[in-house]
Amino acid sequence: MDFNFTEEQSMLRDTLASFLQDKYSFDTRRASVKSASGWRADYWKAFAEELGILGAPFSEDLGGLGGSAIENMIVMEECGKALVIEPYLGTVVIGGGFLKYSGHASATDLIGGIIGGEIITAFAYAEPQGRYNLADLKTTAKKDGSGYVLNGHKAVVLGAPWATHLVVTARTGGSQREASGVSVFLVDKASAGIVTRDYPTVDGQRASEVYFENVSIPADALIGVEGAGLPLIEKVVDEAIAAICAEGVGAMRRMHENTLEYARQRKQFGAAIATFQVLQHRMVDMFINVEQSLSMTYMATLKLDESAHDRAKAVSAAKVQIGRSAKFVGQAAIQIHGGMGMTDELAVGHYFKRATMIEGQFGSVDHHLRRYEHLSIDAAA
Amino acid sequence: MNLDFSPEDLAFRDEVRAFIAAHYPDSLRGKQDEGEELSKEDFLAWHRVLAAKGWVNPAWPTSEGGPGWTSTQRYIWGEECAAADTIGVMPFGINMVGPVIYTFGTPEQKQRFLPETLNGDIWWCQGYSEPGAGSDLASLKTKAERFTDPADGKDYYLVNGQKTWTTMAQYADWIFCLVRTDPNAKIQEGISFLLINMKTPGITVRPIITLGGEHEVNEVWLENVKVPVENRIYDENKGWTCAKFLLAHERSGIAGVARSKRGIERIRQMATTELGDDGQTLLQDPAFKRKVAELEIDLTALEYTELRTLAAESAGKGPGPESSVLKIKGTEVQQRVTELALEAAGHYGAPYFRGFPTDGDNMRPIGPDYAHRTAPSYFNVRKTSIYGGSNEIQRNIIAKMVLGL
Ligand SMILES: Cc1cc2nc3c(=O)[nH]c(=O)nc-3n(C[C@H](O)[C@H](O)[C@H](O)COP(=O)(O)OP(=O)(O)OC[C@H]3O[C@@H](n4cnc5c(N)ncnc54)[C@H](O)[C@@H]3O)c2cc1C
Ligand SMILES: Cc1cc2nc3c(=O)[nH]c(=O)nc-3n(C[C@H](O)[C@H](O)[C@H](O)COP(=O)(O)OP(=O)(O)OC[C@H]3O[C@@H](n4cnc5c(N)ncnc54)[C@H](O)[C@@H]3O)c2cc1C
């Protein structure tokens, strides 16, 4: 057993942390959020070229740095600390994840495009009716000659405004919530018939509603096996969940640090509010929540390559922990900041907003509790 | 002991229900329900209708122009307003400074301020908090120095300092302020209660934007602001007495039971539209249903605690430190309502539309209408456990005043 990072992993973390320290101040981020495009394309280029982090989790024969999910965890935790908006999750973790397991003929080229920063992907999976059920799909891909025709509506596709490609889940068969009949496609966002409506999200990101209206896509848009895509989707989504758990840990850690710092310097009744025991205990509970969340993130990340059953159980357990902790830590951070916590001026509120969105992203606490119950308790009965 | 309304109460309920149905301004319908931000005109539209009817100030005694309602009638009024989703009445004049003025003011002050407070011509804001004086309100530093102006031979205060978190100061005509008039006295004993016209030279209002993007609160800077001495309520250096009186009034009614009931009703509606993972409605999801049930039970406990408090009040006991229980539980329930609403909204809790141009050529609605405000409301309502005396401070009050610790 070993919870230490290798030298390369420590270096990855330090390089990214120092870049973000220099270039990704709270004010810089705010300016990006308010800008027309909503992100920094030049930072994405720097991630690819200057830092080389977009290749972190890919093997060397795919042109990557030879890393794995641990590298994603390291990057995402730093992203959480700086509230990075650029789409590492959607592109490297998810787009790259699908491609590396797909056995697709052009996977190496496409991953090369991701590593180089030219291909940016967004994951179009959720639908207005489906809540967190990955198989609840009305979007269809009908065979048409050698290719397919896509029709449907994808909801709240994060990072879509910046994407060159969309990873789309759709039905090639089966009924609305059936496990079989689900397929995954990598679709050029410029394809005729794709209509998007872009908007900001409450946590400073950008998203789109994506409508497919008779979009013709070639046969090689298919990622993985036609009609048997669900296990692959679940695997990649579990990896994405592990990644946002790490992001959540980063955000929680910052909220905790900011709160300690604030409580030490804020005086009321002639004393630093940090000396009030009721606040001390709350800050201790925040600390415990951050540590437990980190433990669960390690656990889940290290189990991503186990059987589908064990992986899913580990990931859902971690997501339950992070969902609950994000709420506790976020609410406590705001409360201890008093009125200052309510302002848009201070970073703590922005961490709270991101942490709140992480609670629901890829499934709420209830969703993952149910999945865990099913895998752990029902399966044993 | 019984829980029944008397026939008179039931008749009263029918009367107010009919009044709201007939007179609630059309321009406001649905605004509360959709959580829209309200303008000054919105607030005043309803305020004026109620003032004309004599119902804008349910808690005032008849001697001061109140409707003379019993506590049960006030409770019914709150229920009916919430059920009809009316917007609220701004509390600063009616619930806060009004009672201070009729309790501590001179006949001239009552005449000068109460009629215009009632009819909506004066919009008040509350200038208590300062950057250095939040929970520790008595440490406030804004100073008021008395002087005689040789030009007219009259006495004035020269006020200098900064107030903050001043809700809706951007609309206000007047501000009621706690100021320090004796820097050498014990901190609670050197404070006075001043009414200041917001148009007086030297006042600057700067917006503070909060988490959901709202502009509700402000900084109010006071630089050499000249305030006639007759605008002081009660004795010089006795302002803390008014302040404490006002805080007790501020806390009563803070439970917001009727509004939370309506909030839960809305969640139930959302959850019959929203689908769960299995395609059934969210309200059929056992986990979600359980949370709604727990919240309703919490709210019921709060409601009956408030009813007991109201009954004690009508038996002549003023709002005591027990009202801190209502503040704590009331705000916890309000916050929980917004948590569940956000949860119910699912993916469509994420889009954020404030100040974002709705593009003319692509007007497809994004997600259901009820979803848009769930996240901003959740963020915004975190304020309720901070303001009006934070929930930590309320617990300190109960520990000290009720439990004798
Ligand atoms: C089953 C059991 C086994 C034990 N075994 C051993 C043993 O093997 N060897 C041994 O030496 N002792 C043992 N103890 C004693 C144990 O260490 C003491 O009970 C413990 O230190 C608490 O002391 P106390 O019971 O006097 O309670 P107190 O110290 O009087 O505490 C009462 C309450 O006040 C709280 N409190 C006290 N101080 C503070 C503070 N500063 N801030 C906030 N809250 C505070 C406590 O948390 C507690 O809730 C045992 C006790 C139990 C119950
Ligand atoms: C949206 C909003 C609207 C407001 N509107 C108004 C208004 O119109 N007029 C006005 O005058 N004020 C207003 N306020 C100010 C409000 O009353 C203060 O925010 C409140 O009193 C807390 O003060 P603070 O923000 O300085 O926090 P602090 O007092 O600095 O408190 C910070 C944290 O320390 C805790 N704490 C402080 N003292 C203790 C203690 N002794 N024991 C344990 N914990 C403690 C608090 O509970 C809080 O968690 C508003 C505030 C908000 C957020």
Side-chain angles (χ1 to χ4, degrees):
Chain A
M1 196 163 301
D2 179 9
F3 288 113
N4 295 306
F5 293 137
T6 64
E7 217 168 287
E8 291 78 20
Q9 289 166 340
S10 298
M11 219 163 76
L12 170 68
R13 186 192 56 202
D14 295 346
T15 316
L16 178 56
S18 87
F19 177 90
L20 295 173
Q21 173 86 29
D22 291 348
K23 304 246 166 83
Y24 221 98
S25 71
F26 176 59
D27 288 337
T28 310
R29 175 188 186 267
R30 266 164 92 92
S32 312
V33 168
K34 290 192 174 148
S35 69
S37 70
W39 74 315
R40 291 286 294 259
D42 56 330
Y43 281 0
W44 192 252
K45 202 162 174 232
F47 285 179
E49 292 167 11
E50 192 183 318
L51 304 178
I53 60 168
L54 302 185
F58 300 109
S59 64
E60 277 158 15
D61 36 302
L62 288 170
L65 301 178
S68 64
I70 298 175
E71 278 67 16
N72 279 338
M73 178 180 83
I74 291 169
V75 170
M76 288 297 288
E77 186 176 343
E78 294 309 315
C79 288
K81 288 182 189 164
L83 288 177
V84 169
I85 6 187
E86 284 68 23
Y88 185 90
L89 179 78
T91 303
V92 178
V93 180
I94 297 176
F98 275 110
L99 286 167
K100 78 181 164 188
Y101 303 126
S102 66
H104 192 280
S106 313
T108 310
D109 284 351
L110 291 166
I111 288 174
I114 286 178
I115 295 172
E118 300 99 40
I119 293 181
I120 295 173
T121 60
F123 188 28
Y125 71 104
E127 298 190 1
Q129 80 289 343
R131 197 154 288 259
Y132 304 119
N133 182 346
L134 298 169
D136 190 332
L137 300 173
K138 287 186 176 171
T139 299
T140 54
K142 288 221 167 67
K143 258 258 175 305
D144 182 47
S146 68
Y148 301 86
V149 175
L150 276 176
N151 276 290
H153 169 193
K154 293 292 183 176
V156 198
V157 183
L158 286 172
W162 312 317
T164 58
H165 292 74
L166 300 170
V167 176
V168 184
T169 61
R171 288 221 156 265
T172 42
S175 60
Q176 194 180 324
R177 279 178 292 277
E178 209 177 311
S180 72
V182 177
S183 304
V184 184
F185 300 92
L186 183 70
V187 180
D188 186 333
K189 210 185 109 186
S191 309
I194 296 182
V195 177
T196 59
R197 178 154 174 213
D198 303 346
Y199 49 84
T201 59
V202 291
D203 54 350
Q205 310 206 12
R206 294 288 166 103
S208 307
E209 294 300 287
V210 181
Y211 305 89
F212 298 96
E213 291 168 4
N214 298 318
V215 178
S216 290
I217 53 173
D220 69 357
L222 180 71
I223 299 288
V225 182
E226 186 187 294
L230 193 59
L232 176 61
I233 296 170
E234 285 176 341
K235 181 173 171 65
V236 175
V237 167
D238 278 342
E239 294 184 357
I241 292 172
I244 59 167
C245 285
E247 185 190 2
V249 168
M252 283 188 256
R253 204 176 272 299
R254 276 287 188 271
M255 285 193 276
H256 186 234
E257 287 166 3
N258 290 359
T259 304
L260 291 186
E261 199 179 300
Y262 186 78
R264 285 199 181 101
Q265 57 90 13
R266 171 69 173 168
K267 290 202 168 62
Q268 288 289 275
F269 304 101
I273 61 171
T275 60
F276 301 136
Q277 195 177 47
V278 66
L279 299 190
Q280 288 178 347
H281 285 192
R282 190 104 35 103
M283 290 184 276
V284 169
D285 288 339
M286 290 169 80
F287 170 72
I288 293 172
N289 270 281
V290 178
E291 290 304 320
Q292 300 262 75
S293 296
L294 182 65
S295 305
M296 289 298 261
T297 302
Y298 281 5
M299 184 278 297
T301 304
L302 294 172
K303 289 195 177 199
L304 286 173
D305 289 330
E306 296 197 355
S307 71
H309 173 275
D310 292 359
R311 178 200 74 220
K313 194 175 131 185
V315 165
S316 283
K319 189 65 179 15
V320 168
Q321 173 74 48
I322 271 72
R324 287 181 169 163
S325 292
K327 177 172 274 157
F328 178 84
V329 172
Q331 294 183 350
I334 301 299
Q335 183 69 20
I336 294 173
H337 276 79
M340 289 306 292
M342 289 301 301
T343 65
D344 186 58
E345 266 327 280
L346 245 58
V348 68
H350 297 261
Y351 286 105
F352 172 52
K353 291 197 261 188
R354 177 66 197 128
T356 301
M357 289 298 114
I358 287 176
E359 271 179 55
Q361 203 172 348
F362 297 118
S364 61
V365 167
D366 282 353
H367 171 88
H368 284 287
L369 267 176
R370 198 175 305 118
R371 188 169 178 238
Y372 184 92
E373 284 167 8
H374 178 66
L375 293 165
S376 177
I377 299 171
D378 302 347
Chain B
M1 265 200 195
N2 72 76
L3 296 173
D4 302 331
F5 286 135
S6 68
E8 294 77 27
D9 291 334
L10 293 174
F12 175 79
R13 188 190 63 195
D14 293 343
E15 184 192 357
V16 299
R17 188 176 292 176
F19 178 81
I20 294 171
H23 298 284
Y24 190 64
D26 284 336
S27 61
L28 300 181
R29 278 183 209 278
K31 282 202 173 174
Q32 179 81 10
D33 203 19
E34 281 144 32
E36 262 185 60
E37 256 186 289
L38 299 166
S39 68
K40 180 173 185 175
E41 287 64 39
D42 288 336
F43 281 111
L44 286 178
W46 183 221
H47 184 115
R48 293 208 161 103
V49 170
L50 291 174
K53 177 77 179 168
W55 287 0
V56 78
N57 51 345
W60 292 27
T62 38
S63 57
E64 304 298 344
W69 287 346
T70 63
S71 56
T72 307
Q73 287 175 315
R74 276 187 267 147
Y75 167 82
I76 290 171
W77 172 245
E79 290 271 302
E80 292 303 316
C81 286
D85 257 316
T86 69
I87 66 171
V89 167
M90 272 285 126
F92 304 106
I94 299 298
N95 296 344
M96 298 187 191
V97 76
V100 168
I101 294 173
Y102 67 63
T103 306
F104 299 97
T106 62
E108 293 74 32
Q109 288 172 331
K110 288 167 66 169
Q111 191 44 43
R112 165 69 188 85
F113 293 107
L114 293 182
E116 289 186 32
T117 298
L118 282 177
N119 71 18
D121 285 351
I122 298 182
W123 180 294
W124 289 96
C125 65
Q126 179 185 25
Y128 273 29
S129 305
E130 298 181 4
S135 299
D136 184 11
L137 181 58
S139 70
L140 60 95
K141 289 203 175 72
T142 297
K143 65 177 177 194
E145 295 161 299
R146 200 162 165 156
F147 72 103
T148 308
D149 189 340
D152 57 12
K154 289 189 182 158
D155 277 6
Y156 292 88
Y157 291 107
L158 193 66
V159 182
N160 277 288
Q162 190 206 331
K163 296 293 174 182
T164 193
W165 313 122
T166 322
T167 300
M168 303 283 167
Q170 71 267 37
Y171 299 148
D173 304 300
W174 285 77
I175 181 169
F176 55 95
C177 275
L178 293 177
V179 295
R180 191 158 299 284
T181 35
D182 182 353
N184 302 314
K186 262 186 66 185
I187 58 168
Q188 286 89 351
E189 287 163 15
I191 294 172
S192 299
F193 193 103
L194 286 191
L195 311 181
I196 306 177
N197 189 322
M198 289 293 280
K199 293 189 190 70
T200 321
I203 298 183
T204 312
V205 177
R206 295 197 187 128
I208 301 174
I209 303 303
T210 43
L211 288 185
E214 309 83 1
H215 173 199
E216 328 183 322
V217 289
N218 303 273
E219 297 176 346
V220 177
W221 297 73
L222 301 125
E223 240 182 306
N224 294 324
V225 176
K226 210 174 127 186
V227 182
V229 163
E230 65 260 28
N231 288 3
R232 189 193 69 231
I233 301 289
Y234 203 42
D235 297 346
E236 191 168 89
N237 299 326
K238 288 276 168 10
W240 194 246
T241 307
C242 306
K244 279 196 305 190
F245 169 86
L246 184 154
L247 286 175
H249 271 258
E250 182 180 350
R251 269 168 218 149
S252 69
I254 206 154
V257 168
R259 296 282 165 200
S260 288
K261 267 191 199 170
R262 181 66 194 124
I264 293 175
E265 185 53 38
R266 250 196 298 275
I267 290 171
R268 292 171 72 135
Q269 281 164 12
M270 282 172 73
T272 51
T273 310
E274 286 291 320
L275 302 181
D277 288 341
D278 57 0
Q280 308 260 56
T281 71
L282 194 56
L283 206 58
Q284 286 165 295
D285 172 341
F288 194 81
K289 186 161 55 176
R290 170 69 50 93
K291 288 191 280 198
V292 174
E294 282 175 344
L295 183 55
E296 287 189 10
I297 292 167
D298 257 5
L299 179 59
T300 307
L302 173 67
E303 180 177 16
Y304 280 85
T305 306
E306 183 178 45
L307 287 172
R308 282 175 51 214
T309 311
L310 284 177
E313 245 182 274
S314 57
K317 298 187 201 138
E322 293 82 1
S323 64
S324 292
V325 175
L326 302 179
K327 161 58 168 64
I328 294 169
K329 290 308 298 180
T331 55
E332 286 176 358
V333 167
Q334 288 159 34
Q335 292 178 334
R336 185 75 184 132
V337 167
T338 63
E339 279 175 21
L340 280 194
L342 175 58
E343 231 180 282
H347 296 292
Y348 284 115
Y352 181 66
F353 295 107
R354 176 185 301 274
F356 195 71
T358 41
D359 39 359
D361 55 339
N362 192 358
M363 289 294 286
R364 285 172 209 265
I366 295 170
D369 285 343
Y370 54 68
H372 301 163
R373 286 284 306 156
T374 53
S377 295
Y378 168 67
F379 301 141
N380 184 270
V381 169
R382 300 313 305 170
K383 71 188 175 190
T384 62
S385 52
I386 295 169
Y387 67 22
S390 75
N391 286 11
E392 286 78 16
I393 294 300
Q394 304 296 344
R395 286 185 166 90
N396 289 348
I397 291 171
I398 297 173
K400 202 167 146 191
M401 311 296 285
V402 183
L403 308 185
L405 300 172

